[in-house]
Amino acid sequence: MAIKTATRQRQSIADGVRDQKREHILEVAENLFFRQGYAGTTISGIVEHLGVTKPYLYYYFGSKSDIYETLCWQASNACLTAMHFEADDARPAIEKLREGLHRFASANVTHFKSGTFYYRDSSPLQPALLKRLRLLSRRFYDELSETLEQARQDGDLDFENTRLTARAIGSVAGFMYTWYDPDGSIAPEEMADQLSHILLKIAGEKSNRKGSRKHS
Amino acid sequence: MAIKTATRQRQSIADGVRDQKREHILEVAENLFFRQGYAGTTISGIVEHLGVTKPYLYYYFGSKSDIYETLCWQASNACLTAMHFEADDARPAIEKLREGLHRFASANVTHFKSGTFYYRDSSPLQPALLKRLRLLSRRFYDELSETLEQARQDGDLDFENTRLTARAIGSVAGFMYTWYDPDGSIAPEEMADQLSHILLKIAGEKSNRKGSRKHS
DNA sequence: CCTACCGATCGGTAGG
DNA sequence: CCTACCGATCGGTAGG
């Protein structure tokens, strides 16, 4: 039992180091993929920025597309599960919408680089992953549309076309990468707050005068 | 004089044919760039789809990036000049906003493939063109922001953060390429109408009950 | 026999 | 406007 524990600890430490190395590679690759696109980014360029060699990289990842797919899946999964709620969640739709859209906004701010890979360039993704991503995306818009319609029936929202409204909400978050500067004056949390506020507005939120702190 | 006219006519016809060939190349290249990205699209792939050889293509265009830049500039220019009005245009801001946003929506639907190149992958664009595009984009958001604020002062709009509202409007149009299918059930004109309607909603348009034909 | 690498070079393909 | 190519560079892997 003591031996087993010691062995497990050694493995955990080794795995932890391995995970750290992987994380570092992913971090550098993410920046390059975001700035130069998939095909515009070379393995040589990635390892150059890391200060390591190519075999080092290939020890941690099977291929260039493996890195891209890992980043893409992590980010897309975080963003597109934001509108998911337990079946026994009995809160009013408008409350779930507020929480869900804030989670969605936060996830898009946090993963605002890799979160763009799926729609900016999906050609490196293998068919199986693409299928999972399409399912994930469809579910997100289905859950968002359903919550929107429930809240409208409750009289808390005002909009016409549900699918278009859902797409418009997804668009504002998805397009943020073209204008948001994470190193700029607006902190991530503040950005997520402002973003979720405008997403609720697209949904036609009524009587939003509870925390209406005016900005000049 | 007669010779000059005849010569000019011959030149015009030759130029017309040349333009047709160029247009055909641009059309095929646009589809491939849109689907596969810049670096993911090969010159061999383009000429294969065209049924011609590489030297044929290089007779009409100087380089791969030349084709990409031509498409990118045409589309971005069409979309980002939509909010421009003559200095002596004395109409109310809300009227200009309606017309401008409808032009913007239409341009984005028409150029919904090449219109994405600037923000999906700008790395192939040479610095001079990138500078012109950035200027074009800045002017668009400046003009949009100014019109938004004027209309708000007139009491026709309701929104808080001007720059964020302008960015949200641009986002919904710019992200349309991820969900709009031009060969689908929604015709381009109908799409432009629906799109401009939701853009006005983001601006917080009041008393929009003039042409309120309800859709079930 | 493992890990974490290195210098050198593989087969193919890019833009031109 | 085609056939036949080039200098270089790509992603990935060999032996040690």
Side-chain angles (χ1 to χ4, degrees):
Chain A
M1 184 62 178
I3 293 166
K4 199 177 174 184
T5 305
T7 304
R8 197 194 297 151
Q9 275 182 348
R10 271 204 300 279
Q11 284 180 342
S12 295
I13 290 165
D15 287 355
V17 171
R18 184 184 167 86
D19 286 349
Q20 279 177 17
K21 305 265 192 187
R22 276 178 61 96
E23 276 306 313
H24 191 208
I25 292 169
L26 288 172
E27 193 184 319
V28 168
E30 181 180 37
N31 278 294
L32 292 173
F33 284 143
F34 180 72
R35 294 201 320 248
Q36 307 169 347
Y38 178 78
T41 300
T42 64
I43 293 291
S44 302
I46 297 172
V47 298
E48 202 170 305
H49 274 82
L50 283 164
V52 300
T53 60
K54 282 198 264 189
Y56 174 96
L57 186 146
Y58 280 99
Y59 173 73
Y60 293 102
F61 291 94
S63 65
K64 182 186 175 186
S65 57
D66 183 13
I67 303 172
Y68 190 76
E69 288 181 329
T70 302
L71 288 165
C72 183
W73 175 255
Q74 279 180 356
S76 297
N77 191 53
C79 294
L80 296 173
T81 53
M83 285 305 301
H84 187 71
F85 293 93
E86 297 301 324
D88 62 352
D89 193 328
R91 288 177 295 170
I94 186 69
E95 257 183 57
K96 292 205 261 184
L97 189 73
R98 285 202 189 98
E99 183 183 319
L101 288 187
H102 195 275
R103 284 201 301 234
F104 181 59
S106 284
N108 272 281
V109 170
T110 303
H111 304 277
F112 94 103
K113 285 177 181 170
S114 300
T116 66
F117 295 167
Y118 172 45
Y119 42 80
R120 277 177 79 194
D121 188 9
S122 65
S123 59
L125 309 175
Q126 61 187 17
L129 181 62
L130 206 53
K131 200 175 174 180
R132 287 165 69 201
L133 282 164
R134 288 204 179 109
L135 183 64
L136 200 64
S137 175
R138 213 195 56 201
R139 276 187 187 158
F140 172 80
Y141 283 108
D142 283 349
E143 287 169 332
L144 175 55
S145 296
E146 199 186 319
T147 312
L148 283 171
E149 289 193 343
Q150 284 179 4
R152 179 170 61 175
Q153 280 183 5
D154 295 341
D156 295 320
L157 294 180
D158 180 33
F159 60 85
E160 288 185 20
N161 188 322
T162 308
R163 304 308 297 197
L164 187 64
T165 300
R167 286 296 181 176
I169 287 170
S171 297
V172 173
F175 204 68
M176 184 184 49
Y177 78 93
T178 66
W179 50 272
Y180 175 57
D181 175 15
D183 301 320
S185 59
I186 308 174
E189 298 78 17
E190 169 72 8
M191 189 63 228
D193 286 346
Q194 291 211 23
L195 198 58
S196 74
H197 179 262
I198 208 156
L199 298 186
L200 282 165
K201 184 180 181 176
I202 294 172
E205 193 189 27
K206 297 175 184 173
S207 61
N208 187 27
R209 300 283 164 263
K210 41 170 66 175
S212 65
R213 45 210 158 86
K214 283 277 175 186
H215 305 283
S216 61
Chain B
M1 185 63 177
I3 292 165
K4 200 178 174 185
T5 306
T7 305
R8 195 193 300 150
Q9 277 183 349
R10 271 205 301 277
Q11 283 180 340
S12 295
I13 289 165
D15 286 355
V17 170
R18 184 184 166 84
D19 287 349
Q20 280 176 19
K21 305 266 192 183
R22 277 177 62 96
E23 275 306 312
H24 190 209
I25 292 169
L26 288 171
E27 194 185 318
V28 169
E30 181 180 38
N31 279 294
L32 292 173
F33 284 141
F34 180 72
R35 295 199 323 245
Q36 306 168 347
Y38 178 78
T41 299
T42 64
I43 293 290
S44 300
I46 297 173
V47 299
E48 204 170 302
H49 273 83
L50 283 163
V52 300
T53 60
K54 283 195 265 190
Y56 172 97
L57 185 146
Y58 279 98
Y59 175 73
Y60 293 102
F61 291 94
S63 64
K64 183 187 175 186
S65 57
D66 184 14
I67 304 173
Y68 190 75
E69 289 181 328
T70 301
L71 288 165
C72 184
W73 175 256
Q74 280 179 357
S76 297
N77 192 53
C79 294
L80 296 173
T81 53
M83 283 307 299
H84 187 72
F85 294 94
E86 297 300 324
D88 62 350
D89 193 329
R91 289 177 293 170
I94 186 69
E95 258 183 58
K96 291 205 259 184
L97 188 74
R98 284 202 188 98
E99 183 183 318
L101 288 186
H102 195 275
R103 283 201 301 233
F104 180 59
S106 284
N108 272 282
V109 170
T110 303
H111 303 278
F112 94 104
K113 284 178 182 169
S114 299
T116 66
F117 295 167
Y118 172 46
Y119 42 81
R120 279 176 77 193
D121 186 9
S122 64
S123 59
L125 308 175
Q126 60 187 17
L129 181 62
L130 205 52
K131 200 174 174 182
R132 287 165 69 200
L133 282 164
R134 288 203 179 109
L135 183 64
L136 200 65
S137 176
R138 213 195 56 200
R139 277 187 186 158
F140 172 79
Y141 284 107
D142 283 350
E143 289 169 332
L144 175 54
S145 296
E146 198 186 319
T147 312
L148 283 171
E149 290 193 343
Q150 284 179 4
R152 180 171 59 175
Q153 280 183 4
D154 295 341
D156 295 320
L157 293 180
D158 180 31
F159 60 86
E160 287 183 22
N161 188 321
T162 308
R163 305 307 297 197
L164 187 64
T165 301
R167 286 297 181 175
I169 287 170
S171 296
V172 173
F175 205 68
M176 183 182 52
Y177 78 93
T178 66
W179 49 272
Y180 174 56
D181 175 15
D183 301 321
S185 59
I186 306 174
E189 298 79 15
E190 170 72 8
M191 190 63 228
D193 287 346
Q194 292 211 22
L195 200 56
S196 73
H197 180 263
I198 207 153
L199 299 186
L200 282 165
K201 184 181 181 176
I202 294 172
E205 193 189 30
K206 297 176 183 173
S207 63
N208 186 26
R209 300 284 167 261
K210 41 169 63 176
S212 65
R213 46 212 158 82
K214 283 276 176 186
H215 304 282
S216 61

